[in-house]
Amino acid sequence: MFYTSVYLSLSPDDRADRPPRFIVKFKTLVKRFKEFLKEKGLDEGEFKGVYEDFDKIEDFLSNPKNLESEEGIPVRGIAIFSNGSEGYWEVVQLPYVIRNSLVVDVEPYKRGILAVETEFGKNLVVDFGKKHFYVYMVEPYSLRTLAETPDFTQWAERPATFKYAAGNIPAYRTTGTKNFEMLKMEEESRVAKFVANEIFEIYKRERFDNLFLSSSDRKLIPMVVSYLHTYVKHTYRGELNLSHPTNKNEVYNVLLDKIAQMDREEENRLAARFEEMLAIEMAVKGLQPAIDMALLGNVETLIVDVDFSKEGFICHPSGYYGVFGECPSASDRVVLTPDITNKLIEHVLSLGGRVEMANTDRLRNAISGTVGAILRWKIEAKV
């Protein structure tokens, strides 16, 4: 009895073509799997239920309504798990997927969902100006509005007098004697302090992983950052460019675009780190070396070229897998797969490791278009 697990990207580009790119990708994955069975001389009759699952999944993907969120937020990825013979069917809409993949195995591959949920985390988005203040908590499956103040005129009010200390004697002077720039700076400072304080109050009530700021007056953003409490400052990730007024759909889409941009920037830093670690034998390159290290629980960060795949085998129930070799136990059931990389990814994630897909040329070249792994500890060569 086999489970079919499918992860597909549903980005705007994937949806734009006719037929949609994600449908073409799914059909390509299915065709490749069927060709793999024939090449290996495997009994297709044993996979009759899997073929039926393929048809059911394709029908589901062909209905646009199935790819929309009931929460009204964008869906840029989907995970589908099916085993018709067991009456099992599950669909999870995601903000994105780690990798387009199709896995047929004796158990569903769900680790990719947890990886996206963990990586995406809880994101506080604050959109503000001198008179408005909106706060959104964005999570993988929801967007909640925590504050909605479209016209906060108090921020624009200027006190009639300002108090200054002159020795031990308070001195007062009217706003008329202050120049316009001083008034403007004090107003901006009040706004920035207010926003920073409100963010800290939210953090005390509900911890978040990432903070993003958007403002109609962008020069206020660094001021807010400077006033952020120490506990909150480390969560700040960058600026968003939201229109005002905005809406739930825009907030989610702009955040996803920002995360994708940050991921591309991180790839360049990761390439440099991988090369440094490879030079001191704290990283390995190639699929089988990466699998060997993963089986030892020694992969801190796995890097996979987005277009790389390789045939392999999986042993059940021992959990051993590889490109070549044999199962450690004669009683193990061997399942052949057209892409063992998916099993490697799931294994690394199950051990708390990090997985990064190489999309940029710099990172793809660093791992020679295959797989690379940064290690948790150095493996000493045997004498």
Side-chain angles (χ1 to χ4, degrees):
M1 299 296 180
F2 292 102
Y3 289 83
T4 300
S5 304
V6 176
Y7 289 84
L8 290 172
S9 172
L10 301 179
S11 71
D13 287 344
D14 293 313
R15 293 171 179 257
D17 297 337
R18 291 292 177 268
R21 194 179 304 173
F22 62 87
I23 292 286
V24 174
K25 182 62 178 178
F26 175 70
K27 289 182 176 180
T28 301
L29 291 170
V30 168
K31 180 182 178 182
R32 180 183 170 198
F33 179 81
K34 291 180 178 180
E35 291 174 347
F36 174 76
L37 294 185
K38 292 179 181 179
E39 289 172 4
K40 298 300 179 183
L42 298 175
D43 182 10
E44 292 188 54
E46 186 181 357
F47 294 88
K48 180 181 177 182
V50 173
Y51 283 16
E52 292 174 352
D53 287 338
F54 289 164
D55 291 339
K56 184 177 180 180
I57 292 170
E58 184 176 340
D59 288 342
F60 180 85
L61 292 171
S62 299
N63 186 344
K65 292 183 178 179
N66 294 330
L67 310 180
E68 302 301 327
S69 167
E70 293 181 0
E71 296 289 330
I73 58 178
V75 177
R76 292 197 182 183
I78 196 164
I80 303 175
F81 309 96
S82 182
N83 184 332
S85 60
E86 298 286 339
Y88 173 70
W89 173 263
E90 184 178 359
V91 177
V92 180
Q93 295 174 337
L94 297 164
Y96 54 85
V97 296
I98 294 177
R99 184 178 196 239
N100 287 312
S101 57
L102 182 154
V103 179
V104 176
D105 200 358
V106 298
E107 57 190 12
Y109 275 46
K110 291 193 171 184
R111 191 66 59 174
I113 295 175
L114 180 60
V116 171
E117 292 173 345
T118 302
E119 184 177 81
F120 191 82
K122 296 180 68 172
N123 303 274
L124 193 76
V125 176
V126 180
D127 176 36
F128 68 96
K130 292 181 180 178
K131 293 188 178 183
H132 71 272
F133 182 65
Y134 293 87
V135 183
Y136 310 94
M137 184 67 78
V138 187
E139 298 178 68
Y141 312 115
S142 66
L143 187 154
R144 292 175 288 136
T145 302
L146 302 186
E148 189 172 19
T149 311
D151 187 19
F152 197 19
T153 55
Q154 180 180 338
W155 287 359
E157 293 175 2
R158 294 171 180 159
T161 60
F162 293 83
K163 184 176 180 180
Y164 294 87
N168 294 323
I169 304 173
Y172 293 83
R173 62 179 179 175
T174 65
T175 56
T177 61
K178 285 212 163 192
N179 62 56
F180 178 77
E181 288 302 320
M182 283 290 291
L183 287 172
K184 187 177 179 181
M185 289 174 60
E186 291 188 7
E187 181 183 61
E188 291 171 347
S189 180
R190 283 201 310 276
V191 171
K193 286 179 180 178
F194 174 88
V195 173
N197 183 67
E198 289 299 301
I199 291 172
F200 183 48
E201 291 300 317
I202 292 171
Y203 184 79
K204 288 191 290 185
R205 295 194 304 269
E206 184 174 3
R207 298 295 173 89
F208 49 84
D209 304 302
N210 309 299
L211 169 64
F212 296 90
L213 300 177
S214 174
S215 179
S216 53
D217 189 349
R218 297 186 67 177
K219 68 176 178 294
L220 291 176
I221 292 179
M223 293 179 66
V224 171
V225 174
S226 69
Y227 287 129
L228 287 174
H229 191 281
T230 306
Y231 293 167
V232 177
K233 189 170 289 188
H234 75 279
T235 68
Y236 178 63
R237 300 290 179 260
E239 298 182 22
L240 301 182
N241 187 19
L242 297 171
S243 60
H244 178 72
T246 187
N247 57 63
K248 181 187 293 187
N249 194 278
E250 184 194 15
V251 171
Y252 208 95
N253 273 320
V254 171
L255 176 61
L256 287 175
D257 290 341
K258 179 67 174 181
I259 290 173
Q261 175 195 334
M262 291 166 57
D263 190 60
R264 289 191 295 271
E265 293 169 354
E266 174 61 22
E267 284 194 34
N268 291 327
R269 292 189 290 269
L270 184 58
R273 181 167 179 249
F274 176 77
E275 291 163 352
E276 291 172 3
M277 299 301 275
L278 192 64
I280 60 173
E281 300 181 337
M282 277 291 291
V284 295
K285 187 189 299 186
L287 179 57
Q288 191 60 51
I291 290 175
D292 293 341
M293 292 298 101
L295 289 169
L296 292 173
N298 189 21
V299 175
E300 174 208 278
T301 302
L302 178 70
I303 310 168
V304 181
D305 188 292
V306 68
D307 294 323
F308 178 77
S309 64
K310 186 76 173 179
E311 298 175 5
F313 67 95
I314 306 168
C315 305
H316 296 282
S318 69
Y320 185 81
Y321 61 100
V323 179
F324 52 82
E326 298 179 349
C327 293
S329 172
S331 62
D332 271 344
R333 179 184 180 184
V334 180
V335 176
L336 300 180
T337 175
D339 191 358
I340 195 63
T341 314
N342 294 315
K343 175 61 180 177
L344 172 60
I345 290 171
E346 193 212 28
H347 186 205
V348 169
L349 291 172
S350 72
L351 297 176
R354 173 186 169 199
V355 174
E356 289 291 336
M357 300 308 300
N359 294 280
T360 61
D361 291 340
R362 173 78 192 281
L363 189 54
R364 296 177 84 168
N365 290 335
I367 60 173
S368 300
T370 59
V371 175
I374 297 174
L375 308 182
R376 288 189 166 116
W377 67 84
K378 187 174 183 177
I379 298 293
E380 300 294 339
K382 294 182 180 180
V383 179

